[in-house]
């Protein structure tokens, strides 16, 4: 099975998003955090389950209608490269 790796930038972005949501609604932040981790934890077993990404070599998992987990599959790992708001200009 593939390893799951969170890039430092993706960790920082996830933390910032969760802080922002928690300031407004703690329960919603807890649900979002659980959804993000549940999605990420499935990726090593099913790396091609989600759509091809807008950046070549990436894939995108919609973890919530407003948030997209961007990742790349390598020979031995799934790397989470970003977590972004769905309305954000990307790439």
């Amino acid at each position: 099975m593939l390893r799951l790796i969170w890039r430092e930038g993706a960790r920082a972005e996830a933390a910032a998003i969760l802080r922002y949501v928690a300031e407004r609604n703690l329960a919603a932040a807890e649900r979002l955090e659980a959804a993000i981790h549940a999605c990420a934890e499935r990726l090593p077993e099913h790396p091609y389950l989600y759509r091809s990404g807008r950046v070549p070599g990436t894939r995108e998992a919609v973890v919530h209608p407003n948030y997209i987990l961007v990742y790349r599959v390598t020979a031995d790992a799934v790397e989470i490269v970003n977590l972004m708001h769905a309305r954000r200009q990307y790439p």
Side-chain angles (χ1 to χ4, degrees):
M1 182 161 55
L2 300 173
R3 294 178 300 126
L4 180 64
I5 300 169
W6 280 80
R7 304 289 297 199
E8 198 56 43
R11 282 188 190 278
E13 188 66 28
I17 288 169
L18 291 169
R19 273 192 308 275
Y20 176 85
V21 174
E23 289 171 0
R24 286 145 184 82
N25 185 330
L26 184 57
E30 291 170 348
R31 288 190 303 273
L32 178 59
E33 182 176 28
I36 292 166
H37 288 292
C39 179
E41 294 298 320
R42 283 191 302 267
L43 292 176
E45 290 183 35
H46 305 286
Y48 298 101
L49 180 64
Y50 299 101
R51 69 184 184 204
S52 292
R54 289 167 263 185
V55 172
T58 65
R59 303 193 70 80
E60 298 177 358
V62 178
V63 296
H64 176 278
N66 292 330
Y67 296 100
I68 299 170
L69 195 63
V70 180
Y71 67 98
R72 113 179 83 224
V73 181
T74 67
D76 63 344
V78 173
E79 292 182 312
I80 308 295
V81 295
N82 200 3
L83 177 68
M84 60 180 219
H85 194 280
R87 292 186 182 182
R88 188 168 117 191
Q89 179 80 20
Y90 180 78

